Amino acid sequence: MGTALLLAVVVGSGIMGQRLAAGNVAIALLGNTIATGAGLVVLIHIFGPVSGAHFNPAVTLAFAMRGEADRRSVPVYIVAQLVGAVLGVWTAHAMFAEPMLQVSVKLRGGPAQGFSELIATFGLIGTIFGTQRSRPEFTPVAVGLYITSAYWFTASTSFANPAVTIARCLSDTFAGISPVSAPLFIIGQLAGTVAAVSFFAWLFREDVQDDQRISDHHLSQS
């Protein structure tokens, strides 16, 4: 449900933005950006207590790599994310009287696009890991703000989500991506996931070691 609503926001706001912007792509993207960032904040607050607000296979895999997710449930999460993403795209199409079944022809190719997705996903996972460590109550807002900024500072407009990428292949609208371009995006996203898990494990290692030393000291005194 969370991933479905996220895709309804992304695709629906893209359609609305394009229709109202009178050909001004920057204005259409701005509308798409604001809606997506705001929607993420709300959706994470709603579904965080239920499922951890895992709308993204990259995030689910990142937590599994850190040993913070039940690996047996990871495939179920990913299937739910993919199904939800497709349903969200169809929901947006229905709301705007678009044909339900579409395939995007919007090419988003080239190494720069794949690298942008690596950076976008790396930053997203870093945002989650960093705020969960220091201010977990701020995570929903931080994620929404990060995606809002990444829409503009990455050449790919920050998909940062394999399920989102696949589903957006099924929408020949403002937010769409050609199936030909999707594999490069997904490779970038998975590479960004692995890089983020490795880097932030190293970055926060001293804090973990300090916590362990404090815990061992308390145990020795008790």
Side-chain angles (χ1 to χ4, degrees):
M1 180 62 71
T3 311
L5 289 172
L6 174 60
L7 266 295
V9 170
V10 171
V11 175
S13 63
I15 295 171
M16 178 69 84
Q18 188 173 45
R19 290 183 180 181
L20 296 180
N24 189 321
V25 178
I27 295 297
L29 181 61
L30 181 61
N32 193 204
T33 303
I34 294 170
T36 301
L40 267 172
V41 174
V42 175
L43 291 173
I44 294 170
H45 274 295
I46 294 171
F47 293 103
V50 181
S51 65
H54 282 225
F55 311 144
N56 186 337
V59 172
T60 301
L61 289 171
F63 276 94
M65 290 169 66
R66 282 165 50 112
E68 297 177 11
D70 180 3
R71 296 191 179 185
R72 294 171 299 178
S73 68
V74 168
V76 182
Y77 267 62
I78 292 175
V79 169
Q81 291 155 355
L82 291 169
V83 171
V86 173
L87 292 176
V89 167
W90 290 346
T91 299
H93 290 171
M95 288 192 293
F96 287 91
E98 290 275 339
M100 294 294 287
L101 300 180
Q102 304 179 22
V103 176
S104 178
V105 296
K106 183 179 290 186
L107 294 173
R108 299 174 184 255
Q113 296 284 312
F115 182 63
S116 293
E117 281 303 291
L118 186 156
I119 296 299
T121 309
F122 179 90
L124 172 63
I125 291 172
T127 299
I128 294 169
F129 286 170
T131 55
Q132 284 289 296
R133 165 179 161 270
S134 58
R135 288 187 59 193
E137 74 285 354
F138 186 66
T139 299
V141 175
V143 169
L145 290 174
Y146 175 77
I147 292 298
T148 298
S149 67
Y151 255 69
W152 288 86
F153 81 75
T154 64
S156 61
T157 65
S158 183
F159 285 41
N161 183 327
V164 165
T165 304
I166 292 169
R168 286 169 69 166
C169 292
L170 303 178
S171 185
D172 193 24
T173 63
F174 182 80
I177 177 174
S178 168
V180 174
S181 303
L184 178 64
F185 272 53
I186 294 171
I187 290 169
Q189 292 155 4
L190 295 178
T193 300
V194 173
V197 171
S198 300
F199 175 77
F200 289 101
W202 168 81
L203 184 66
F204 300 144
R205 184 182 67 249
E206 291 185 1
D207 291 345
V208 172
Q209 292 173 344
D210 289 343
D211 290 344
Q212 185 61 49
R213 282 194 291 269
I214 292 170
S215 176
D216 292 345
H217 177 69
H218 287 164
L219 286 173
S220 66
Q221 288 184 326
S222 61

